Amino acid sequence: MSHPSMPVLESFTRTWPNLEAAHGKAMRSASALLSGRDELLPLLTRIATHSSARDELLRSVGALTGAPWELARNCPPQLSRLSVFLPSNNILYSYTLYGLIPALYCDEVIIRPSARVRDTAYAVHRQISRRLDPDMAQKIKMIDVSQRQFKPVCAGSDAVVFTGRPANAHEVMNDIGEQPMFLLMGSGPNPLVIGPRTDPAAACRAVLRARLYNCGQDCLCPDVVFVHRLRLDAVVEQLRAELSVLTVGARSWSDTVLTPLVYEGAAEGAAEFLAENADHVVCGGGTDLERLLVEPSLLVLPEGTGFHPPELFSPVFCIVPYEDPEMLREWARSPEELERGMYVSALGEPRLTGETLGTGVIIRNATPLDAENGNQPFGGYGVHASSIRRDGRLIGRPLLLSMEAGLRRSVITGPLR
């Protein structure tokens, strides 16, 4: 008896062209970053601590060495032009994910740096370009134009990667028309949950490592920590003790954890938040706006679902007690959090079942910084965290540029036998 043919995606059966050439270019690009590390690290520490800059370099090298696997898996088509809004933090890692790796399958990558880090971004670009294969270096261009001037470039592109505020993303998306594939890479509160089965000392190490990455100036830093009441006192006391011994140092020092913030707006936002919530400050709470310093601060807020933290680009720790995980589910189902669901770190809380909490992807017994992989989709299902334009609207889901490009061109083809 004959069996009907089953349609399959083209990407199941075809292989990515020139994989060996891409492998060689990716490995040489990784070597270029490593050989230039003594020049790159001083540039990166203009806006990042030495430890986070070193981490950024190693993540970039890892993503480049994984790029051939990524391309073989996703089979992206050759794109004519990619336009990129480079973020104001993680310059090297973002340059790698949205510049170096796409240059393996794009004819041209046009990058507009954030005005706040323009000089540093250009310096990093120049330092890397002179070490790349000439054909790779020629593909990646950085341009100093306003957002308004960049929009026509985006309109003539195959794809656009936007990193920034959702309101600005909607404006750009509407102005450039329907043709380009549009990816929004945003941010979220990335709550960290300390459950009843967590060792308090281990939980505090995870919280400190995650919250103090680049002195809190990263979109993956947790803006709220939910702590089970059984662990609340121990966690608060240990965090208080740890934060009391932190001292301010230069970004270029290898052991510095606490530094002046890079952006005036981040220091002002932290100062305003701490003033509004002064009754809940357990330790810290001081700010020096002239020096852009924010004292490492610990707050314990009331139990409940009403706290929706702003993006705290600073060493501010917000703890909310909980007892029943249903409270966490209710918090995550609120309209604010459904829009910005990114990641949820669940430490020792087995009652949080499933793959998501609201629209946030659950990472078990680890933090997003532990689990993040530049060759895998990034983000959650909140439209403000990570989303792609489909039929004129943004659809929230974890994103990887090569995968989205491959899916866009995939078609139904012959039988799977």
Side-chain angles (χ1 to χ4, degrees):
M1 185 176 74
S2 63
H3 297 278
S5 297
M6 295 183 64
V8 296
L9 289 176
E10 179 187 1
S11 58
F12 283 10
T13 55
R14 64 189 173 96
T15 57
W16 197 76
N18 302 320
L19 189 59
E20 288 301 319
H23 182 272
K25 290 178 181 179
M27 296 306 108
R28 290 191 293 274
S29 298
S31 296
L33 296 189
L34 284 173
S35 64
R37 62 187 179 275
D38 290 341
E39 292 79 27
L40 282 171
L41 286 175
L43 297 175
L44 297 176
T45 53
R46 295 177 184 177
I47 60 171
T49 61
H50 187 276
S51 60
S52 63
R54 185 177 61 243
D55 179 77
E56 200 177 333
L57 173 65
L58 294 176
R59 287 179 188 272
S60 299
V61 170
L64 283 166
T65 58
W69 171 88
E70 176 189 328
L71 301 185
R73 185 171 185 267
N74 298 318
C75 298
Q78 188 72 19
L79 301 182
S80 176
R81 179 194 293 167
L82 169 68
S83 292
V84 178
F85 290 79
L86 200 69
S88 57
N89 63 315
N90 286 317
I91 288 179
L92 176 60
Y93 192 47
S94 300
Y95 186 92
T96 300
L97 298 187
Y98 309 133
L100 293 175
I101 294 177
L104 298 173
Y105 58 91
C106 295
D107 297 333
E108 184 180 39
V109 180
I110 309 295
I111 298 175
R112 176 189 177 269
S114 167
R116 294 193 293 186
V117 293
R118 174 195 175 279
D119 292 344
T120 300
Y122 266 94
V124 169
H125 171 64
R126 287 192 296 268
Q127 190 61 238
I128 294 173
S129 294
R130 67 186 185 87
R131 295 177 179 272
L132 293 176
D133 287 359
D135 63 327
M136 283 281 286
Q138 290 169 7
K139 288 183 176 185
I140 305 173
K141 301 178 178 65
M142 192 168 282
I143 60 175
D144 183 21
V145 297
S146 67
Q147 188 175 107
R148 179 182 58 81
Q149 293 170 319
F150 195 44
K151 288 177 184 177
V153 178
C154 296
S157 303
D158 291 326
V160 175
V161 172
F162 184 95
T163 56
R165 297 183 180 278
N168 292 342
H170 280 276
E171 179 185 335
V172 172
M173 184 179 70
N174 292 334
D175 288 347
I176 66 175
E178 294 289 331
Q179 176 56 35
M181 181 174 67
F182 188 93
L183 283 72
L184 165 63
M185 304 292 194
S187 62
N190 301 306
L192 195 153
V193 178
I194 298 177
R197 296 189 182 179
T198 307
D199 172 63
C204 286
R205 286 194 296 272
V207 172
L208 290 164
R209 188 174 67 249
R211 179 68 248 182
L212 293 176
Y213 185 87
N214 194 19
C215 200
Q217 300 170 102
D218 192 277
C219 70
L220 290 181
C221 295
D223 291 317
V224 59
V225 181
F226 293 104
V227 181
H228 193 277
R229 285 204 169 272
L230 289 175
R231 296 287 178 257
L232 181 63
D233 290 345
V235 167
V236 168
E237 287 309 309
Q238 181 142 0
L239 283 178
R240 188 210 297 260
E242 295 283 354
L243 296 180
S244 68
V245 298
L246 292 180
T247 57
V248 177
R251 294 189 192 96
S252 58
W253 297 352
S254 60
D255 58 348
T256 291
V257 174
L258 190 64
T259 69
L261 302 185
V262 177
Y263 311 119
E264 183 177 340
E268 291 174 345
E272 181 179 347
F273 176 81
L274 290 169
E276 291 175 351
N277 295 277
D279 292 345
H280 305 300
V281 174
V282 173
C283 67
T287 58
D288 183 340
L289 295 183
E290 185 175 344
R291 298 169 62 199
L292 300 185
L293 279 174
V294 175
E295 190 177 0
S297 304
L298 176 63
L299 296 84
V300 178
L301 295 124
E303 182 174 347
T305 61
F307 179 61
H308 301 285
E311 188 172 23
L312 296 167
F313 246 44
S314 56
V316 176
F317 296 72
C318 296
I319 288 181
V320 175
Y322 83 97
E323 192 162 356
D324 187 342
E326 185 55 33
M327 189 203 92
L328 305 179
R329 298 186 185 98
E330 183 181 346
W331 176 86
R333 287 194 297 263
S334 66
E336 300 97 321
E337 302 309 334
L338 286 174
E339 284 187 330
R340 58 183 191 159
M342 198 171 190
Y343 291 110
V344 177
S345 300
L347 310 182
E349 182 46 276
R351 295 174 297 174
L352 284 182
T353 57
E355 301 298 320
T356 58
L357 182 69
T359 53
V361 173
I362 295 177
I363 298 173
R364 301 190 184 280
N365 299 315
T367 71
L369 286 164
D370 299 325
E372 205 278 325
N373 182 333
N375 305 118
Q376 294 275 22
F378 172 86
Y381 294 90
V383 292
H384 290 177
S386 52
S387 52
I388 183 166
R389 177 166 62 181
R390 285 283 183 265
D391 299 323
R393 65 191 183 101
L394 288 172
I395 305 297
R397 67 178 182 225
L399 298 178
L400 181 66
L401 177 62
S402 63
M403 179 180 291
E404 296 296 340
L407 288 173
R408 195 184 199 199
R409 298 293 180 88
S410 293
V411 295
I412 300 299
T413 58
L416 178 64
R417 298 188 185 279

